[in-house]
Amino acid sequence: MADTAPANAQVPQQQAAQIQPCKYKTGKTLGAGSYSVVKECVHIDTGRYYAAKVINKRLMAGREHMVRNEIAVLKKVSMGHRNILTLVDYFETMNNLYLVTDLALGGELFDRICRKGSYYETDAADLVRATLSAVAYLHDHGIVHRDLKPENLLFRTPEDNADLLIADFGLSRIMDEEQFHVLTTTCGTPGYMAPEIFKKTGHGKPVDIWAIGVITYFLLCGYTPFDRDSNLEEMQAILVADYSFTPLEYWRGVSNSAREFIKRCLTIIPSERMTSHEALSHPWIADTPVKEGEDLLPTVKKNFNARRTLHAAIDTIRAINQLRAGGGAAMIHDGASARDPAKIVENSRPVDEDVMELDSRGNGRGQTEEMIREQERRIRETQAGLWGQRR
């Protein structure tokens, strides 16, 4: 990659790369993406620990603009807001690009919630307020994040009062305020994407507010508002804002103010959506009542875990269907274990959806324990029968 520079320099697109030896020692893996891995690292000279996003140059061939963009965004906002992950260093070696950031030791947002002893609506409002504050800062600096989701919200430390951090700016864009700032690239995570992204009519700052609405809904019940059987159906629901506060048993303890906040975020027409500063002034965010009302943790935790179990089950069933349809040979030839359906390769034969059916993602909302156990039983029986037939 030629268009790179160290952290204390500008990033002109025609500047040749400055190659230098790695001054960090990497440790355990913290996460992984399609073209990068995030590792814990220590600065060899100072002994300080950080997180390093290690990007493989070979895997990034043709997508270098994503890295340049992430660097430019992080450099512009680093150290400017307590709820934004700080870029500490940037450099490249012969084989990799390195983005070194603060080490967020507190874990992901929803994992943290599930470990709590209790969780109230006011706790959700606090989390949304912190996120909105950072988003308002980004918007004030002409930056759209475009990929806000719980997985990109991390805590700085394990302490209860730790700062919530917005991370991963790989899909952000610095917007030139003097130009007509609309973005037409389809990007992001489908369930959190705004209608205008799918329409490809141009989009800007309002897409982050839409994502805030989806996150808020998720924080209050444990599932997302547009979860459907497929990405296509999910997109169709998003385009017409087809969602509701159901089942009622999971929303009975949520205030009307919270619901109204979500509605103001999940507005189809971008210009009618709240701005980040208007959202910060909304009564649900601006007013900070004492913790009272219903403990949402049992519902949120149950629905989140049921959703995670169902999605994992669907992945397993799809893999088993592929094996039954003849994909097993492809797996073996690609070096994957035929006894591990999770390792099925992407270029195997199409799934025969009629081989075995499973409750759809849309029915994953608020599953009962009996439903989950029945699905797991069916998977175990199918796996046992499949592996028995192949011996």
Side-chain angles (χ1 to χ4, degrees):
M1 175 172 170
D3 306 344
T4 51
N8 58 357
Q10 298 299 315
V11 192
Q13 293 195 3
Q14 302 303 318
Q15 181 174 320
Q18 177 174 328
I19 308 297
Q20 62 186 60
C22 185
K23 52 190 174 183
Y24 297 86
K25 182 179 179 181
T26 57
K28 65 182 179 181
T29 299
L30 303 175
S34 57
Y35 60 89
S36 65
V37 61
V38 179
K39 290 179 172 288
E40 184 178 89
C41 69
V42 58
H43 193 283
I44 295 172
D45 294 334
T46 66
R48 293 193 61 179
Y49 282 83
Y50 301 98
K53 186 173 185 178
V54 186
I55 303 168
N56 184 297
K57 288 183 179 180
R58 181 177 56 82
L59 296 178
M60 274 301 295
R63 297 191 294 273
E64 295 90 342
H65 65 283
M66 294 176 64
V67 182
R68 282 199 300 271
N69 177 60
E70 184 165 0
I71 295 161
V73 170
L74 284 169
K75 284 178 62 179
K76 189 169 184 181
V77 301
S78 277
M79 302 177 70
H81 196 282
R82 64 184 294 179
N83 299 113
I84 297 175
L85 197 67
T86 302
L87 177 66
V88 176
D89 198 1
Y90 164 68
F91 61 95
E92 66 175 288
T93 59
M94 192 62 67
N95 299 314
N96 298 312
L97 306 172
Y98 287 79
L99 275 70
V100 183
T101 65
D102 286 337
L103 185 61
L105 297 171
E108 289 185 10
L109 173 63
F110 226 74
D111 289 334
R112 177 79 159 257
I113 290 173
C114 289
R115 290 197 300 268
K116 291 169 66 72
S118 61
Y119 174 69
Y120 294 88
E121 187 178 312
T122 51
D123 294 318
D126 289 341
L127 295 170
V128 176
R129 185 184 305 109
T131 306
L132 267 174
S133 178
V135 168
Y137 178 82
L138 293 176
H139 288 183
D140 288 346
H141 286 78
I143 298 168
V144 187
H145 188 280
R146 297 204 295 178
D147 197 25
L148 290 173
K149 55 185 177 181
E151 294 87 341
N152 286 339
L153 300 176
L154 311 174
F155 285 93
R156 191 182 299 277
T157 67
E159 281 74 34
D160 288 341
N161 61 347
D163 289 334
L164 183 66
L165 302 170
I166 292 183
D168 197 344
F169 289 82
L171 294 172
S172 300
R173 179 74 56 84
I174 294 181
M175 298 165 60
D176 187 345
E177 293 293 343
E178 295 181 358
Q179 297 178 359
F180 181 57
H181 49 267
V182 294
L183 309 169
T184 55
T185 305
T186 299
C187 63
T189 302
Y192 297 85
M193 289 166 62
E196 59 267 29
I197 298 179
F198 293 111
K199 294 176 182 177
K200 294 187 177 182
T201 54
H203 60 272
K205 298 173 185 177
V207 302
D208 287 343
I209 303 304
W210 178 279
I212 290 285
V214 177
I215 291 170
T216 303
Y217 186 105
F218 186 44
L219 287 173
L220 292 171
C221 67
Y223 50 88
T224 53
F226 304 107
D227 204 5
R228 296 295 189 273
D229 293 0
S230 65
N231 285 344
L232 176 61
E233 290 175 308
E234 193 169 51
M235 179 190 72
Q236 291 170 335
I238 290 170
L239 286 172
V240 295
D242 179 15
Y243 74 96
S244 61
F245 300 106
T246 55
L248 294 177
E249 61 184 293
Y250 299 139
W251 287 91
R252 195 168 290 120
V254 176
S255 70
N256 288 331
S257 181
R259 301 184 196 202
E260 202 268 341
F261 175 84
I262 292 171
K263 290 177 182 177
R264 293 287 309 281
C265 293
L266 300 183
T267 300
I268 297 175
I269 301 174
S271 61
E272 296 180 2
R273 231 169 275 158
M274 290 187 292
T275 65
S276 54
H277 288 286
E278 287 172 345
L280 283 169
S281 299
H282 189 279
W284 189 66
I285 296 294
D287 300 338
T288 53
V290 296
K291 290 185 180 181
E292 57 184 17
E294 184 177 327
D295 182 1
L296 302 179
L297 185 59
T299 291
V300 168
K301 195 171 181 178
K302 186 191 94 168
N303 287 331
F304 176 66
N305 287 334
R307 185 172 177 266
R308 183 159 52 183
T309 298
L310 180 59
H311 286 199
I314 290 172
D315 290 341
T316 301
I317 291 299
R318 284 174 177 164
I320 291 171
N321 287 347
Q322 283 187 311
L323 286 173
R324 284 184 164 182
M331 289 175 61
I332 295 171
H333 290 222
D334 281 283
S337 169
R339 292 180 180 272
D340 186 358
K343 292 183 179 179
I344 191 137
V345 291
E346 293 180 358
N347 60 353
S348 295
R349 295 186 188 180
V351 178
D352 180 358
E353 298 293 353
D354 294 327
V355 172
M356 179 176 179
E357 296 180 352
L358 187 71
D359 289 346
S360 67
R361 289 195 304 167
N363 291 332
R365 300 180 179 183
Q367 287 188 113
T368 65
E369 298 298 329
E370 290 75 18
M371 289 170 63
I372 296 170
R373 283 197 294 270
E374 174 62 17
Q375 286 167 355
E376 292 174 338
R377 182 190 66 76
R378 291 169 63 194
I379 292 166
R380 284 195 298 271
E381 288 182 355
T382 304
Q383 286 175 320
L386 179 63
W387 307 143
Q389 293 169 12
R390 296 180 65 85
R391 286 194 179 95

